[in-house]
Amino acid sequence: MQTDSSFTFVLFGGTGDLSMRKILPALYEAHRAGLLAETGKIVAVARHEDNRDAYLAWVNEHVKPHVSKNGLDEAAWTSFLERVLYVKLDLSRPEDFGVLRDAVGTLPGIRVFYLATGPSLFVPICRALASVGLNENARIVLEKPLGYDLRSSNAINDAVGEIFAEGQIYRIDHYLGKEPVQNLLALRFGNALFEPLWRREWVESIQITIAEELGVEGRGDFYDNTGALRDMVQNHLLQLLSIIAMEPPHSMDADAVRDEKLRVLRSLKPIDPRDISKVAVRGQYHAGGIRGTPVPAYSTEKGVKPDSTTETFVALKVEIENWRWAGVPFFLRTGKRLADRVAEIVVNFRPVPHSALGATALRPGANRLVIRLQPNETIRLYCLAKQPGEGMNLASVHLDLAFDQFFREGQMEAYQRLLLDVISGRLALFVRRDEQEAAWRWVEPILGEWANSNKPPKPYAAGTWGPAASSAMLAQHGTCWLEEEN
């Protein structure tokens, strides 16, 4: 369905990698599908190109490779570029924002300012926008990372909050826009089948994994000052956990959903610094191979300090102190240079209390739900069935919900969904400030303990699934990571 009203989408960092790989391709796909108002305009802001023609040449070169898995529609691409305007702007020159004001002042509709820049520029950009009156009738989109810790996050939020109301601020986490995450809500709250089982009496453990084959990919300077805990756990993994564990909201209104997520984040059991070694594993990849290709150690990557103790892998055991989840361990894991690129949620149900059918029915994981977020988005329910032939021998079978096979409509990419939500003013899939604060508050003891520790991260070879200590942590609870069962 087409967005209801016109818009002016102003993209700061218009020549950056995120704009080229994600934002402009998502806007093109929305345009190609007829989901953008015909009068909507896209205004790219950068300081590298001299004029619109030069910028469109840059877009043609750098954006085209990232659009349309099924091939580029040249007619749609040409009409999409007609939407795109360009403003050359130097952020160090406040007077340049007057040029931006003049460029967008006559354009219709709500203004969306997307800050695809480093977080150090968020506040200067917002203040400059306010200085020329562009903070009215506007929405501001903030990319992660939003700060380095709770203090710096609050400083950014305080400053931005002086210029934009909370209802104007869209803190984006693209994992919340993925189709299986949305379907998780539908499965839980739209069906009587799952909700009665979604509690401590029937769930033995839950795993959330976001694994990457890639390394730092030329971002060594950024990553070495960030690490996996800040880059992935504080936002993506805790957001996914909050959706899995939340109580049913009274409606799907933005604050109803975010109120329930906040209750989960505030119910996370605080980690005692003395226990961190038991419930948290940090690792750093050494030289190894990914699918037969040799890759260097993290410490030799460009921009990384040779003696760096920055973690490229994190595994955590998390507990939620509330009635629904008391005693159920949540295992979170993320890392770079792992054996595969995968993001998935595994809900392991408890085995039957007694089996007349043999030990197979009693083993952990006989019944589980696997929600795959990437690379292919599916939901798979595992259960036991009788094997054909003589005797009562059980085997694992599964029921698949493969979206691309069941629904004729093509799946909408996460950024496309989220950008359409911003334009339409829907906040449910964006992170509220109090959610962000609760997440930072929970991870800070881990950050502090690791910063003060004399122990380096545990080594793991690139192309493996991380340090052995990660598997040992789960073994203490009688379980293992999903891939280890095979």
Side-chain angles (χ1 to χ4, degrees):
M1 184 176 66
Q2 189 181 81
T3 51
D4 294 333
S5 58
S6 188
F7 63 92
T8 299
F9 189 97
V10 181
L11 177 58
F12 286 89
T15 57
D17 184 60
L18 181 64
S19 297
M20 299 297 106
R21 290 187 302 105
K22 295 294 184 181
I23 300 171
L24 288 174
L27 289 170
Y28 161 74
E29 295 293 352
H31 166 84
R32 184 185 59 81
L35 299 176
L36 298 180
E38 292 183 3
T39 54
K41 294 294 183 182
I42 300 164
V43 181
V45 175
R47 60 184 177 89
H48 297 298
E49 301 298 338
D50 291 328
N51 53 48
R52 180 173 181 267
D53 288 341
Y55 180 71
L56 292 184
W58 176 275
V59 169
N60 268 304
E61 179 183 355
H62 292 89
V63 176
K64 270 188 174 182
H66 301 290
V67 301
S68 291
K69 297 176 182 177
N70 298 321
L72 183 74
D73 183 330
E74 288 292 350
W77 178 253
T78 299
S79 60
F80 170 71
L81 293 183
E82 292 174 359
R83 292 182 183 269
V84 180
L85 307 176
Y86 178 73
V87 173
K88 184 175 183 179
L89 188 151
D90 186 340
L91 297 178
S92 66
R93 290 167 48 88
E95 58 269 26
D96 281 9
F97 280 80
V99 178
L100 178 62
R101 177 195 58 206
D102 295 341
V104 304
T106 59
L107 299 178
I110 189 74
R111 295 188 188 115
V112 174
F113 296 103
Y114 196 114
L115 274 53
T117 67
S120 63
L121 298 175
F122 291 173
V123 173
I125 290 174
C126 289
R127 286 174 175 164
L129 289 173
S131 71
V132 294
L134 288 178
N135 57 322
E136 302 295 332
N137 189 35
R139 296 169 187 145
I140 189 89
V141 185
L142 304 179
E143 264 287 348
K144 77 170 187 76
L146 200 69
Y148 183 79
D149 51 18
L150 178 60
R151 181 178 178 181
S152 59
S153 175
N154 281 341
I156 293 173
N157 278 316
D158 286 344
V160 174
E162 293 175 357
I163 299 161
F164 295 93
E166 180 64 26
Q168 295 176 279
I169 303 173
Y170 291 69
R171 301 173 188 86
I172 195 167
D173 186 328
H174 70 275
Y175 274 87
L176 300 185
K178 289 182 175 291
E179 196 73 53
V181 175
Q182 302 305 297
N183 257 305
L184 179 57
L185 295 174
L187 284 171
R188 281 196 59 193
F189 305 135
N191 298 284
L193 176 64
F194 290 107
E195 182 56 25
L197 303 178
W198 215 260
R199 58 189 68 249
R200 57 187 171 82
E201 291 88 350
W202 304 108
V203 175
E204 188 168 64
S205 65
I206 294 178
Q207 302 174 16
I208 310 175
T209 294
I210 302 178
E212 298 177 278
E213 289 183 333
L214 297 176
V216 295
E217 301 305 298
R219 299 189 309 148
D221 289 333
F222 160 78
Y223 196 87
D224 208 37
N225 291 302
T226 304
L229 189 65
R230 291 184 177 92
D231 190 43
M232 299 297 290
V233 176
Q234 183 272 332
N235 39 69
H236 298 326
L237 283 166
L238 289 186
Q239 281 293 313
L240 291 176
L241 180 147
S242 67
I243 288 179
I244 294 167
M246 65 189 279
E247 294 297 320
H250 68 81
S251 74
M252 294 308 292
D253 290 342
D255 281 332
V257 173
R258 297 191 294 181
D259 285 347
E260 298 303 336
K261 288 164 57 188
L262 177 63
R263 289 189 178 97
V264 173
L265 294 170
R266 287 179 172 172
S267 298
L268 295 177
K269 181 180 180 180
I271 292 182
D272 189 323
R274 294 169 296 182
D275 295 332
I276 283 178
S277 62
K278 301 175 185 176
V279 298
V281 176
R282 64 170 177 157
Q284 185 185 102
Y285 66 82
H286 287 199
I290 304 290
R291 303 188 186 281
T293 301
V295 295
Y298 172 76
S299 60
T300 64
E301 298 271 18
K302 183 179 179 180
V304 175
K305 297 184 291 293
D307 59 349
S308 173
T309 59
T310 298
E311 77 283 354
T312 62
F313 175 95
V314 174
L316 300 169
K317 177 201 167 196
V318 180
E319 295 182 66
I320 300 174
E321 296 184 311
N322 64 18
W323 191 273
R324 181 183 291 266
W325 296 113
V328 176
F330 288 71
F331 298 105
L332 313 185
R333 175 177 61 165
T334 186
K336 290 189 174 296
R337 294 295 191 199
L338 297 182
D340 199 3
R341 172 181 175 265
V342 63
E344 65 186 6
I345 300 162
V346 180
V347 181
N348 288 312
F349 294 101
R350 296 188 185 278
V352 296
H354 170 75
S355 175
L357 301 175
T360 301
L362 297 174
R363 69 175 177 81
N367 300 144
R368 63 161 54 103
L369 186 69
V370 178
I371 301 119
R372 177 66 65 91
L373 307 180
Q374 66 182 29
N376 54 321
E377 300 181 343
T378 60
I379 296 178
R380 179 172 287 183
L381 177 64
Y382 287 84
C383 54
L384 295 175
K386 178 187 175 299
Q387 286 183 340
E390 186 179 359
M392 183 60 73
N393 298 312
L394 302 182
S396 179
V397 297
H398 56 262
L399 307 173
D400 273 348
L401 174 55
F403 302 112
D404 57 346
Q405 298 177 23
F406 192 84
F407 296 106
R408 291 184 178 180
E409 302 87 355
Q411 289 190 57
M412 189 178 289
E413 294 289 339
Y415 268 97
Q416 182 181 340
R417 173 181 290 105
L418 294 172
L419 295 181
L420 290 172
D421 278 2
V422 175
I423 292 169
S424 299
R426 296 188 288 263
L427 277 160
L429 300 183
F430 296 85
V431 181
R432 204 167 58 190
R433 176 175 179 170
D434 49 8
E435 292 180 74
Q436 194 173 66
E437 289 181 359
W440 272 121
R441 192 169 288 112
W442 186 80
V443 302
E444 279 212 321
I446 309 174
L447 289 169
E449 183 66 17
W450 285 353
N452 296 324
S453 173
N454 293 322
K455 297 180 181 179
K458 296 183 182 298
Y460 65 96
T464 66
W465 282 104
S470 167
S471 299
M473 183 172 67
L474 271 69
Q476 292 174 358
H477 297 274
T479 188
C480 62
W481 295 109
L482 181 60
E483 76 279 350
E484 293 175 337
E485 292 192 357
N486 300 319

